[in-house]
Amino acid sequence: MDLVQLIYVSRLSPDCDAESLKKILDSSRKNNRKLGITGILCRDKRFFLQCLEGSRAAVNHLYATIIADKRHSDVIILCYREIVRREFGAWSMAFVSAKKVDKVLTLQYSSTPELDPYAMPGQASHDFLVDLANSWKGDLEA
Ligand code: FAD
């Protein structure tokens, strides 16, 4: 068993608009199904927070592709670990806009009203994404 989970944060490029996001999600869902990768992507006006799950090789190769993508920058790994089961296995890439994130949930994981994933411990970034997936379960595009 070589299942791993990787969580990273990055800053949106100034020209990363709604059309760019649609292309990213289209590519993600098309490619991830073939690669056996699942996960969740949260987008705020300032950052992307993404979790990738899959085989060690598939996750590492995809991460190398993602960090070279000019639609974002300052890509930092928050958490990388081996897992025994997937937590986002229902989604080739679930998506949640941070606009939809409940203020109470944000405050659970943040010392300020604005979430800053760069300042979050890896475990907190993981727990935040799990809570997000649970609260938006019915409404996460696969
Ligand atoms: P295609 O799907 O064939 O490309 C589709 C369209 O996107 C084309 O119009 C192409 O011009 C455009 N495009 C592709 N790459 C770029 C680029 N680097 N810059 C501008 N336009 C581009 N990919 C995944 O496969 N899985 C993921 O989970 C994933 N998550 C991502 C998360 C973030 C925050 C970002 C920024 C990117 C993510 N990507 C993901 C995209 C990844 O970086 C590659 O762009 C993608 O894997 C290329 O797929 P493809 O070769 O099949 O391109």
Side-chain angles (χ1 to χ4, degrees), residues 8 10 16 23-24 26-32 35 37 41 48 50 52 62 65-72 92-93:
Y8 73 81
S10 64
C16 187
K23 285 184 179 173
I24 289 169
D26 287 349
S27 301
S28 301
R29 288 166 182 161
K30 174 192 71 174
N31 295 334
N32 294 359
L35 297 169
I37 287 189
L41 177 67
F48 285 115
Q50 186 176 33
L52 303 167
L62 178 59
T65 302
I66 290 173
I67 58 176
D69 196 312
K70 297 277 186 286
R71 291 171 286 193
H72 64 170
S92 55
M93 191 45 63

PDB file of all heavy atoms in Angstrom, residues 8 10 16 23-24 26-32 35 37 41 48 50 52 62 65-72 92-93, ligand 1:
ATOM      1  N   TYR A   8      -1.107  21.418   0.113  1.00  0.00           N
ATOM      2  CA  TYR A   8      -0.263  22.601  -0.095  1.00  0.00           C
ATOM      3  C   TYR A   8      -1.128  23.852  -0.162  1.00  0.00           C
ATOM      4  O   TYR A   8      -2.343  23.778  -0.383  1.00  0.00           O
ATOM      5  CB  TYR A   8       0.583  22.465  -1.375  1.00  0.00           C
ATOM      6  CG  TYR A   8      -0.225  22.628  -2.648  1.00  0.00           C
ATOM      7  CD1 TYR A   8      -0.546  23.905  -3.137  1.00  0.00           C
ATOM      8  CD2 TYR A   8      -0.704  21.528  -3.347  1.00  0.00           C
ATOM      9  CE1 TYR A   8      -1.296  24.062  -4.289  1.00  0.00           C
ATOM     10  CE2 TYR A   8      -1.462  21.681  -4.498  1.00  0.00           C
ATOM     11  CZ  TYR A   8      -1.756  22.953  -4.952  1.00  0.00           C
ATOM     12  OH  TYR A   8      -2.518  23.119  -6.088  1.00  0.00           O
ATOM     13  N   SER A  10      -1.014  27.909  -1.975  1.00  0.00           N
ATOM     14  CA  SER A  10      -0.327  28.748  -2.967  1.00  0.00           C
ATOM     15  C   SER A  10      -1.085  30.065  -3.102  1.00  0.00           C
ATOM     16  O   SER A  10      -2.229  30.180  -2.645  1.00  0.00           O
ATOM     17  CB  SER A  10      -0.261  28.038  -4.321  1.00  0.00           C
ATOM     18  OG  SER A  10      -1.556  27.840  -4.838  1.00  0.00           O
ATOM     19  N   CYS A  16      -5.353  34.991 -12.589  1.00  0.00           N
ATOM     20  CA  CYS A  16      -6.073  33.716 -12.415  1.00  0.00           C
ATOM     21  C   CYS A  16      -7.547  34.014 -12.122  1.00  0.00           C
ATOM     22  O   CYS A  16      -7.964  34.169 -10.981  1.00  0.00           O
ATOM     23  CB  CYS A  16      -5.441  32.902 -11.289  1.00  0.00           C
ATOM     24  SG  CYS A  16      -6.148  31.260 -11.153  1.00  0.00           S
ATOM     25  N   LYS A  23     -10.765  26.041 -16.216  1.00  0.00           N
ATOM     26  CA  LYS A  23      -9.806  25.184 -16.931  1.00  0.00           C
ATOM     27  C   LYS A  23      -9.043  24.277 -15.965  1.00  0.00           C
ATOM     28  O   LYS A  23      -8.797  23.108 -16.260  1.00  0.00           O
ATOM     29  CB  LYS A  23      -8.814  26.042 -17.724  1.00  0.00           C
ATOM     30  CG  LYS A  23      -9.417  26.639 -18.985  1.00  0.00           C
ATOM     31  CD  LYS A  23      -8.351  27.395 -19.762  1.00  0.00           C
ATOM     32  CE  LYS A  23      -8.937  27.982 -21.046  1.00  0.00           C
ATOM     33  NZ  LYS A  23      -7.985  28.858 -21.731  1.00  0.00           N
ATOM     34  N   ILE A  24      -8.655  24.852 -14.816  1.00  0.00           N
ATOM     35  CA  ILE A  24      -7.926  24.048 -13.816  1.00  0.00           C
ATOM     36  C   ILE A  24      -8.794  22.878 -13.357  1.00  0.00           C
ATOM     37  O   ILE A  24      -8.335  21.732 -13.284  1.00  0.00           O
ATOM     38  CB  ILE A  24      -7.513  24.932 -12.609  1.00  0.00           C
ATOM     39  CG1 ILE A  24      -6.411  25.903 -13.023  1.00  0.00           C
ATOM     40  CG2 ILE A  24      -7.083  24.083 -11.421  1.00  0.00           C
ATOM     41  CD1 ILE A  24      -6.117  27.001 -12.005  1.00  0.00           C
ATOM     42  N   ASP A  26     -11.409  21.542 -14.914  1.00  0.00           N
ATOM     43  CA  ASP A  26     -11.642  20.599 -16.019  1.00  0.00           C
ATOM     44  C   ASP A  26     -10.435  19.669 -16.189  1.00  0.00           C
ATOM     45  O   ASP A  26     -10.584  18.454 -16.283  1.00  0.00           O
ATOM     46  CB  ASP A  26     -11.906  21.348 -17.335  1.00  0.00           C
ATOM     47  CG  ASP A  26     -13.285  21.999 -17.371  1.00  0.00           C
ATOM     48  OD1 ASP A  26     -14.107  21.691 -16.482  1.00  0.00           O
ATOM     49  OD2 ASP A  26     -13.530  22.820 -18.271  1.00  0.00           O
ATOM     50  N   SER A  27      -9.219  20.244 -16.220  1.00  0.00           N
ATOM     51  CA  SER A  27      -8.002  19.424 -16.363  1.00  0.00           C
ATOM     52  C   SER A  27      -7.871  18.465 -15.184  1.00  0.00           C
ATOM     53  O   SER A  27      -7.544  17.289 -15.357  1.00  0.00           O
ATOM     54  CB  SER A  27      -6.740  20.286 -16.370  1.00  0.00           C
ATOM     55  OG  SER A  27      -6.756  21.198 -17.406  1.00  0.00           O
ATOM     56  N   SER A  28      -8.121  18.987 -13.973  1.00  0.00           N
ATOM     57  CA  SER A  28      -7.948  18.168 -12.766  1.00  0.00           C
ATOM     58  C   SER A  28      -8.853  16.952 -12.815  1.00  0.00           C
ATOM     59  O   SER A  28      -8.409  15.822 -12.571  1.00  0.00           O
ATOM     60  CB  SER A  28      -8.286  18.979 -11.514  1.00  0.00           C
ATOM     61  OG  SER A  28      -7.456  20.096 -11.430  1.00  0.00           O
ATOM     62  N   ARG A  29     -10.111  17.189 -13.135  1.00  0.00           N
ATOM     63  CA  ARG A  29     -11.061  16.058 -13.080  1.00  0.00           C
ATOM     64  C   ARG A  29     -10.774  15.043 -14.170  1.00  0.00           C
ATOM     65  O   ARG A  29     -10.830  13.838 -13.938  1.00  0.00           O
ATOM     66  CB  ARG A  29     -12.493  16.607 -13.129  1.00  0.00           C
ATOM     67  CG  ARG A  29     -12.811  17.290 -11.803  1.00  0.00           C
ATOM     68  CD  ARG A  29     -14.031  18.137 -11.812  1.00  0.00           C
ATOM     69  NE  ARG A  29     -14.193  18.769 -10.497  1.00  0.00           N
ATOM     70  CZ  ARG A  29     -14.933  19.834 -10.261  1.00  0.00           C
ATOM     71  NH1 ARG A  29     -15.584  20.411 -11.247  1.00  0.00           N
ATOM     72  NH2 ARG A  29     -15.032  20.319  -9.042  1.00  0.00           N
ATOM     73  N   LYS A  30     -10.403  15.553 -15.361  1.00  0.00           N
ATOM     74  CA  LYS A  30     -10.065  14.652 -16.475  1.00  0.00           C
ATOM     75  C   LYS A  30      -8.816  13.821 -16.119  1.00  0.00           C
ATOM     76  O   LYS A  30      -8.834  12.596 -16.211  1.00  0.00           O
ATOM     77  CB  LYS A  30      -9.795  15.509 -17.725  1.00  0.00           C
ATOM     78  CG  LYS A  30      -9.303  14.742 -18.935  1.00  0.00           C
ATOM     79  CD  LYS A  30      -8.787  15.683 -20.023  1.00  0.00           C
ATOM     80  CE  LYS A  30      -7.469  16.336 -19.615  1.00  0.00           C
ATOM     81  NZ  LYS A  30      -6.794  17.153 -20.588  1.00  0.00           N
ATOM     82  N   ASN A  31      -7.756  14.480 -15.676  1.00  0.00           N
ATOM     83  CA  ASN A  31      -6.486  13.778 -15.413  1.00  0.00           C
ATOM     84  C   ASN A  31      -6.553  12.911 -14.158  1.00  0.00           C
ATOM     85  O   ASN A  31      -6.039  11.802 -14.139  1.00  0.00           O
ATOM     86  CB  ASN A  31      -5.344  14.788 -15.249  1.00  0.00           C
ATOM     87  CG  ASN A  31      -5.074  15.551 -16.533  1.00  0.00           C
ATOM     88  OD1 ASN A  31      -5.350  15.052 -17.609  1.00  0.00           O
ATOM     89  ND2 ASN A  31      -4.540  16.753 -16.418  1.00  0.00           N
ATOM     90  N   ASN A  32      -7.157  13.441 -13.093  1.00  0.00           N
ATOM     91  CA  ASN A  32      -7.107  12.739 -11.807  1.00  0.00           C
ATOM     92  C   ASN A  32      -7.833  11.400 -11.858  1.00  0.00           C
ATOM     93  O   ASN A  32      -7.403  10.432 -11.223  1.00  0.00           O
ATOM     94  CB  ASN A  32      -7.677  13.623 -10.684  1.00  0.00           C
ATOM     95  CG  ASN A  32      -6.811  14.839 -10.435  1.00  0.00           C
ATOM     96  OD1 ASN A  32      -5.786  15.017 -11.085  1.00  0.00           O
ATOM     97  ND2 ASN A  32      -7.222  15.688  -9.512  1.00  0.00           N
ATOM     98  N   LEU A  35      -5.436   9.010 -13.214  1.00  0.00           N
ATOM     99  CA  LEU A  35      -4.272   8.791 -12.337  1.00  0.00           C
ATOM    100  C   LEU A  35      -4.639   8.154 -10.997  1.00  0.00           C
ATOM    101  O   LEU A  35      -3.750   7.856 -10.191  1.00  0.00           O
ATOM    102  CB  LEU A  35      -3.584  10.139 -12.056  1.00  0.00           C
ATOM    103  CG  LEU A  35      -2.995  10.878 -13.260  1.00  0.00           C
ATOM    104  CD1 LEU A  35      -2.598  12.303 -12.882  1.00  0.00           C
ATOM    105  CD2 LEU A  35      -1.785  10.116 -13.790  1.00  0.00           C
ATOM    106  N   ILE A  37      -6.207   9.748  -8.673  1.00  0.00           N
ATOM    107  CA  ILE A  37      -6.022  10.801  -7.656  1.00  0.00           C
ATOM    108  C   ILE A  37      -7.376  11.370  -7.261  1.00  0.00           C
ATOM    109  O   ILE A  37      -8.253  11.575  -8.113  1.00  0.00           O
ATOM    110  CB  ILE A  37      -5.078  11.895  -8.187  1.00  0.00           C
ATOM    111  CG1 ILE A  37      -3.659  11.328  -8.212  1.00  0.00           C
ATOM    112  CG2 ILE A  37      -5.169  13.180  -7.363  1.00  0.00           C
ATOM    113  CD1 ILE A  37      -2.580  12.296  -8.501  1.00  0.00           C
ATOM    114  N   LEU A  41     -10.114  21.058  -3.573  1.00  0.00           N
ATOM    115  CA  LEU A  41      -9.459  22.351  -3.837  1.00  0.00           C
ATOM    116  C   LEU A  41     -10.350  23.454  -3.256  1.00  0.00           C
ATOM    117  O   LEU A  41     -11.537  23.534  -3.568  1.00  0.00           O
ATOM    118  CB  LEU A  41      -9.311  22.560  -5.341  1.00  0.00           C
ATOM    119  CG  LEU A  41      -8.713  23.892  -5.798  1.00  0.00           C
ATOM    120  CD1 LEU A  41      -7.238  24.005  -5.380  1.00  0.00           C
ATOM    121  CD2 LEU A  41      -8.823  24.050  -7.322  1.00  0.00           C
ATOM    122  N   PHE A  48      -4.969  29.305  -2.983  1.00  0.00           N
ATOM    123  CA  PHE A  48      -5.503  27.963  -3.218  1.00  0.00           C
ATOM    124  C   PHE A  48      -5.031  27.102  -2.051  1.00  0.00           C
ATOM    125  O   PHE A  48      -3.871  27.215  -1.613  1.00  0.00           O
ATOM    126  CB  PHE A  48      -4.922  27.337  -4.479  1.00  0.00           C
ATOM    127  CG  PHE A  48      -5.462  27.861  -5.772  1.00  0.00           C
ATOM    128  CD1 PHE A  48      -4.635  28.536  -6.650  1.00  0.00           C
ATOM    129  CD2 PHE A  48      -6.788  27.644  -6.143  1.00  0.00           C
ATOM    130  CE1 PHE A  48      -5.110  29.005  -7.866  1.00  0.00           C
ATOM    131  CE2 PHE A  48      -7.276  28.103  -7.352  1.00  0.00           C
ATOM    132  CZ  PHE A  48      -6.432  28.785  -8.220  1.00  0.00           C
ATOM    133  N   GLN A  50      -5.089  22.998  -1.450  1.00  0.00           N
ATOM    134  CA  GLN A  50      -5.484  21.773  -2.142  1.00  0.00           C
ATOM    135  C   GLN A  50      -4.927  20.545  -1.434  1.00  0.00           C
ATOM    136  O   GLN A  50      -3.801  20.550  -0.938  1.00  0.00           O
ATOM    137  CB  GLN A  50      -4.961  21.782  -3.590  1.00  0.00           C
ATOM    138  CG  GLN A  50      -5.467  20.589  -4.405  1.00  0.00           C
ATOM    139  CD  GLN A  50      -5.027  20.633  -5.870  1.00  0.00           C
ATOM    140  OE1 GLN A  50      -3.948  21.125  -6.179  1.00  0.00           O
ATOM    141  NE2 GLN A  50      -5.857  20.112  -6.753  1.00  0.00           N
ATOM    142  N   LEU A  52      -4.248  16.488  -2.273  1.00  0.00           N
ATOM    143  CA  LEU A  52      -4.157  15.443  -3.301  1.00  0.00           C
ATOM    144  C   LEU A  52      -3.949  14.109  -2.595  1.00  0.00           C
ATOM    145  O   LEU A  52      -3.107  14.022  -1.686  1.00  0.00           O
ATOM    146  CB  LEU A  52      -2.957  15.691  -4.221  1.00  0.00           C
ATOM    147  CG  LEU A  52      -2.893  17.027  -4.951  1.00  0.00           C
ATOM    148  CD1 LEU A  52      -1.499  17.220  -5.562  1.00  0.00           C
ATOM    149  CD2 LEU A  52      -3.960  17.099  -6.038  1.00  0.00           C
ATOM    150  N   LEU A  62       2.297  14.622 -10.024  1.00  0.00           N
ATOM    151  CA  LEU A  62       1.313  15.684 -10.247  1.00  0.00           C
ATOM    152  C   LEU A  62       1.728  16.962  -9.520  1.00  0.00           C
ATOM    153  O   LEU A  62       1.618  18.065 -10.067  1.00  0.00           O
ATOM    154  CB  LEU A  62      -0.088  15.234  -9.791  1.00  0.00           C
ATOM    155  CG  LEU A  62      -1.176  16.294  -9.944  1.00  0.00           C
ATOM    156  CD1 LEU A  62      -1.317  16.740 -11.402  1.00  0.00           C
ATOM    157  CD2 LEU A  62      -2.521  15.772  -9.436  1.00  0.00           C
ATOM    158  N   THR A  65       4.085  18.917 -11.497  1.00  0.00           N
ATOM    159  CA  THR A  65       3.408  19.654 -12.581  1.00  0.00           C
ATOM    160  C   THR A  65       2.730  20.906 -12.018  1.00  0.00           C
ATOM    161  O   THR A  65       2.837  21.999 -12.581  1.00  0.00           O
ATOM    162  CB  THR A  65       2.317  18.757 -13.240  1.00  0.00           C
ATOM    163  OG1 THR A  65       2.946  17.585 -13.723  1.00  0.00           O
ATOM    164  CG2 THR A  65       1.612  19.477 -14.369  1.00  0.00           C
ATOM    165  N   ILE A  66       2.042  20.726 -10.912  1.00  0.00           N
ATOM    166  CA  ILE A  66       1.260  21.833 -10.338  1.00  0.00           C
ATOM    167  C   ILE A  66       2.161  22.996  -9.910  1.00  0.00           C
ATOM    168  O   ILE A  66       1.825  24.161 -10.144  1.00  0.00           O
ATOM    169  CB  ILE A  66       0.392  21.321  -9.165  1.00  0.00           C
ATOM    170  CG1 ILE A  66      -0.736  20.423  -9.697  1.00  0.00           C
ATOM    171  CG2 ILE A  66      -0.183  22.480  -8.359  1.00  0.00           C
ATOM    172  CD1 ILE A  66      -1.562  19.734  -8.612  1.00  0.00           C
ATOM    173  N   ILE A  67       3.317  22.690  -9.302  1.00  0.00           N
ATOM    174  CA  ILE A  67       4.132  23.821  -8.813  1.00  0.00           C
ATOM    175  C   ILE A  67       4.726  24.636  -9.972  1.00  0.00           C
ATOM    176  O   ILE A  67       5.094  25.789  -9.784  1.00  0.00           O
ATOM    177  CB  ILE A  67       5.255  23.427  -7.808  1.00  0.00           C
ATOM    178  CG1 ILE A  67       6.214  22.420  -8.411  1.00  0.00           C
ATOM    179  CG2 ILE A  67       4.676  22.912  -6.517  1.00  0.00           C
ATOM    180  CD1 ILE A  67       7.379  22.112  -7.472  1.00  0.00           C
ATOM    181  N   ALA A  68       4.786  24.036 -11.175  1.00  0.00           N
ATOM    182  CA  ALA A  68       5.322  24.776 -12.332  1.00  0.00           C
ATOM    183  C   ALA A  68       4.242  25.615 -13.020  1.00  0.00           C
ATOM    184  O   ALA A  68       4.545  26.360 -13.956  1.00  0.00           O
ATOM    185  CB  ALA A  68       5.916  23.780 -13.330  1.00  0.00           C
ATOM    186  N   ASP A  69       3.021  25.518 -12.553  1.00  0.00           N
ATOM    187  CA  ASP A  69       1.895  26.203 -13.196  1.00  0.00           C
ATOM    188  C   ASP A  69       1.919  27.693 -12.839  1.00  0.00           C
ATOM    189  O   ASP A  69       1.957  28.059 -11.653  1.00  0.00           O
ATOM    190  CB  ASP A  69       0.590  25.548 -12.702  1.00  0.00           C
ATOM    191  CG  ASP A  69      -0.594  25.904 -13.568  1.00  0.00           C
ATOM    192  OD1 ASP A  69      -0.781  27.099 -13.861  1.00  0.00           O
ATOM    193  OD2 ASP A  69      -1.348  24.992 -13.932  1.00  0.00           O
ATOM    194  N   LYS A  70       1.889  28.536 -13.872  1.00  0.00           N
ATOM    195  CA  LYS A  70       2.030  29.991 -13.641  1.00  0.00           C
ATOM    196  C   LYS A  70       0.736  30.648 -13.142  1.00  0.00           C
ATOM    197  O   LYS A  70       0.714  31.854 -12.875  1.00  0.00           O
ATOM    198  CB  LYS A  70       2.451  30.693 -14.941  1.00  0.00           C
ATOM    199  CG  LYS A  70       3.803  30.252 -15.468  1.00  0.00           C
ATOM    200  CD  LYS A  70       4.921  31.013 -14.760  1.00  0.00           C
ATOM    201  CE  LYS A  70       6.296  30.725 -15.323  1.00  0.00           C
ATOM    202  NZ  LYS A  70       6.804  29.380 -14.941  1.00  0.00           N
ATOM    203  N   ARG A  71      -0.319  29.860 -13.008  1.00  0.00           N
ATOM    204  CA  ARG A  71      -1.563  30.453 -12.509  1.00  0.00           C
ATOM    205  C   ARG A  71      -1.549  30.643 -10.997  1.00  0.00           C
ATOM    206  O   ARG A  71      -2.496  31.159 -10.417  1.00  0.00           O
ATOM    207  CB  ARG A  71      -2.755  29.602 -12.970  1.00  0.00           C
ATOM    208  CG  ARG A  71      -2.949  29.711 -14.487  1.00  0.00           C
ATOM    209  CD  ARG A  71      -3.954  28.738 -15.011  1.00  0.00           C
ATOM    210  NE  ARG A  71      -3.420  27.374 -15.028  1.00  0.00           N
ATOM    211  CZ  ARG A  71      -3.986  26.360 -15.668  1.00  0.00           C
ATOM    212  NH1 ARG A  71      -5.114  26.557 -16.331  1.00  0.00           N
ATOM    213  NH2 ARG A  71      -3.443  25.151 -15.637  1.00  0.00           N
ATOM    214  N   HIS A  72      -0.466  30.206 -10.373  1.00  0.00           N
ATOM    215  CA  HIS A  72      -0.266  30.460  -8.940  1.00  0.00           C
ATOM    216  C   HIS A  72       1.229  30.491  -8.639  1.00  0.00           C
ATOM    217  O   HIS A  72       2.051  30.198  -9.517  1.00  0.00           O
ATOM    218  CB  HIS A  72      -1.014  29.434  -8.073  1.00  0.00           C
ATOM    219  CG  HIS A  72      -0.540  28.022  -8.222  1.00  0.00           C
ATOM    220  ND1 HIS A  72      -0.947  27.015  -7.387  1.00  0.00           N
ATOM    221  CD2 HIS A  72       0.305  27.428  -9.120  1.00  0.00           C
ATOM    222  CE1 HIS A  72      -0.385  25.877  -7.754  1.00  0.00           C
ATOM    223  NE2 HIS A  72       0.374  26.101  -8.803  1.00  0.00           N
ATOM    224  N   SER A  92     -12.891  13.310  -7.704  1.00  0.00           N
ATOM    225  CA  SER A  92     -11.650  13.423  -8.475  1.00  0.00           C
ATOM    226  C   SER A  92     -11.009  14.780  -8.165  1.00  0.00           C
ATOM    227  O   SER A  92      -9.782  14.891  -8.145  1.00  0.00           O
ATOM    228  CB  SER A  92     -11.906  13.270  -9.964  1.00  0.00           C
ATOM    229  OG  SER A  92     -12.880  14.188 -10.390  1.00  0.00           O
ATOM    230  N   MET A  93     -11.825  15.792  -7.936  1.00  0.00           N
ATOM    231  CA  MET A  93     -11.351  17.041  -7.337  1.00  0.00           C
ATOM    232  C   MET A  93     -12.574  17.849  -6.905  1.00  0.00           C
ATOM    233  O   MET A  93     -13.228  18.503  -7.717  1.00  0.00           O
ATOM    234  CB  MET A  93     -10.481  17.872  -8.306  1.00  0.00           C
ATOM    235  CG  MET A  93      -9.747  19.044  -7.642  1.00  0.00           C
ATOM    236  SD  MET A  93      -8.927  18.628  -6.053  1.00  0.00           S
ATOM    237  CE  MET A  93      -7.716  17.404  -6.538  1.00  0.00           C
TER     238      MET A  93
HETATM  239  P1  FAD B   1      -5.190  20.211 -20.573  1.00  0.00           P
HETATM  240  O1  FAD B   1      -6.200  19.714 -19.576  1.00  0.00           O
HETATM  241  O2  FAD B   1      -5.220  19.584 -21.929  1.00  0.00           O
HETATM  242  O3  FAD B   1      -5.345  21.795 -20.688  1.00  0.00           O
HETATM  243  C1  FAD B   1      -6.623  22.345 -20.650  1.00  0.00           C
HETATM  244  C2  FAD B   1      -6.563  23.827 -20.825  1.00  0.00           C
HETATM  245  O4  FAD B   1      -5.826  24.430 -19.768  1.00  0.00           O
HETATM  246  C3  FAD B   1      -5.940  24.255 -22.111  1.00  0.00           C
HETATM  247  O5  FAD B   1      -6.741  25.272 -22.637  1.00  0.00           O
HETATM  248  C4  FAD B   1      -4.578  24.759 -21.727  1.00  0.00           C
HETATM  249  O6  FAD B   1      -4.179  25.840 -22.529  1.00  0.00           O
HETATM  250  C5  FAD B   1      -4.794  25.225 -20.327  1.00  0.00           C
HETATM  251  N1  FAD B   1      -3.610  25.047 -19.530  1.00  0.00           N
HETATM  252  C6  FAD B   1      -3.036  23.866 -19.191  1.00  0.00           C
HETATM  253  N2  FAD B   1      -1.962  24.087 -18.412  1.00  0.00           N
HETATM  254  C7  FAD B   1      -1.864  25.436 -18.270  1.00  0.00           C
HETATM  255  C8  FAD B   1      -0.977  26.288 -17.565  1.00  0.00           C
HETATM  256  N3  FAD B   1       0.060  25.793 -16.855  1.00  0.00           N
HETATM  257  N4  FAD B   1      -1.184  27.626 -17.629  1.00  0.00           N
HETATM  258  C9  FAD B   1      -2.219  28.147 -18.333  1.00  0.00           C
HETATM  259  N5  FAD B   1      -3.110  27.387 -19.013  1.00  0.00           N
HETATM  260  C10 FAD B   1      -2.927  26.061 -18.989  1.00  0.00           C
HETATM  261  N6  FAD B   1      -3.953  19.327 -12.829  1.00  0.00           N
HETATM  262  C11 FAD B   1      -4.334  18.057 -12.607  1.00  0.00           C
HETATM  263  O7  FAD B   1      -4.223  17.211 -13.498  1.00  0.00           O
HETATM  264  N7  FAD B   1      -4.848  17.679 -11.383  1.00  0.00           N
HETATM  265  C12 FAD B   1      -4.996  18.555 -10.349  1.00  0.00           C
HETATM  266  O8  FAD B   1      -5.494  18.173  -9.277  1.00  0.00           O
HETATM  267  C13 FAD B   1      -4.595  19.905 -10.572  1.00  0.00           C
HETATM  268  N8  FAD B   1      -4.735  20.833  -9.594  1.00  0.00           N
HETATM  269  C14 FAD B   1      -4.319  22.114  -9.826  1.00  0.00           C
HETATM  270  C15 FAD B   1      -4.449  23.066  -8.810  1.00  0.00           C
HETATM  271  C16 FAD B   1      -4.025  24.379  -9.021  1.00  0.00           C
HETATM  272  C17 FAD B   1      -4.176  25.396  -7.904  1.00  0.00           C
HETATM  273  C18 FAD B   1      -3.469  24.757 -10.273  1.00  0.00           C
HETATM  274  C19 FAD B   1      -3.024  26.172 -10.502  1.00  0.00           C
HETATM  275  C20 FAD B   1      -3.342  23.819 -11.289  1.00  0.00           C
HETATM  276  C21 FAD B   1      -3.783  22.499 -11.094  1.00  0.00           C
HETATM  277  N9  FAD B   1      -3.694  21.546 -12.106  1.00  0.00           N
HETATM  278  C22 FAD B   1      -4.074  20.252 -11.856  1.00  0.00           C
HETATM  279  C23 FAD B   1      -3.290  21.916 -13.475  1.00  0.00           C
HETATM  280  C24 FAD B   1      -1.869  21.498 -13.767  1.00  0.00           C
HETATM  281  O9  FAD B   1      -0.962  22.459 -13.271  1.00  0.00           O
HETATM  282  C25 FAD B   1      -1.686  21.371 -15.303  1.00  0.00           C
HETATM  283  O10 FAD B   1      -2.055  22.580 -15.939  1.00  0.00           O
HETATM  284  C26 FAD B   1      -2.553  20.261 -15.850  1.00  0.00           C
HETATM  285  O11 FAD B   1      -2.308  19.058 -15.142  1.00  0.00           O
HETATM  286  C27 FAD B   1      -2.237  20.079 -17.355  1.00  0.00           C
HETATM  287  O12 FAD B   1      -3.115  19.123 -17.810  1.00  0.00           O
HETATM  288  P2  FAD B   1      -3.146  18.764 -19.353  1.00  0.00           P
HETATM  289  O13 FAD B   1      -1.738  18.624 -19.846  1.00  0.00           O
HETATM  290  O14 FAD B   1      -4.053  17.556 -19.479  1.00  0.00           O
HETATM  291  O15 FAD B   1      -3.748  20.058 -20.008  1.00  0.00           O
END
